[in-house]
Amino acid sequence: MGPIWPSYYGNCHSLLFMVDAANPTQLSASCVQLLGLLSAEGLAEASVLILFNKIDLPCYMTVEEMKSLIRLPDIIACAKQNISTAEISAHKGTGLAGVLHWLQDTHRTDS
Ligand SMILES: Nc1nc2c(ncn2[C@@H]2O[C@H](COP(=O)(O)OP(=O)(O)OP(=O)(O)O)[C@@H](O)[C@H]2O)c(=O)[nH]1
């Protein structure tokens, strides 16, 4: 789907970027896609929430280790956007209330 994402940038105020936290083999590809989004002109003003999903599943790597591997603190420090992160399980519902709060806060700030 990545190639068609730019057609949605036009009216985008908030961006939810989902990382599969149960499958670190996809991490480098996710990181490349994230860097592409963060450097897109049309998303310069967007607020970004990076979701580490599937935390209910066992994994040989912790979310902290994944963040460190892709140097997420450096990415956040260098990005134009305001970036937050959250650990969730869409399956179990863990952390979803926090995502809704983030969306509400982001839209309140926008208006
Ligand atoms: N255990 C668990 N399963 C989930 C969660 N979120 C989605 N899934 C399941 O994961 C399966 C694949 O969903 P995704 O990984 O979102 O789909 P996808 O991105 O098209 O799949 P991939 O390209 O293979 O990663 C589905 O059966 C979902 O129900 C979660 O938080 N926990």
Side-chain angles (χ1 to χ4, degrees), residues 14-91:
S14 344
L15 172 70
L16 301 185
F17 185 85
M18 182 101 69
V19 176
D20 189 335
N23 188 357
T25 60
Q26 294 178 342
L27 205 53
S28 56
S30 293
C31 184
V32 169
Q33 284 187 315
L34 176 63
L35 291 172
L37 289 167
L38 295 178
S39 61
E41 191 100 346
L43 296 175
E45 303 292 323
S47 296
V48 179
L49 179 60
I50 302 173
L51 298 168
F52 288 87
N53 186 36
K54 303 194 188 181
I55 58 163
D56 59 295
L57 294 176
C59 184
Y60 56 86
M61 202 179 263
T62 66
V63 168
E64 285 312 310
E65 285 169 333
M66 288 183 227
K67 287 179 180 176
S68 165
L69 195 63
I70 62 171
R71 299 185 62 177
L72 191 55
D74 290 341
I75 292 174
I76 291 173
C78 295
K80 295 185 280 282
Q81 296 87 348
N82 192 357
I83 303 178
S84 306
T85 65
E87 299 179 22
I88 65 161
S89 164
H91 186 60

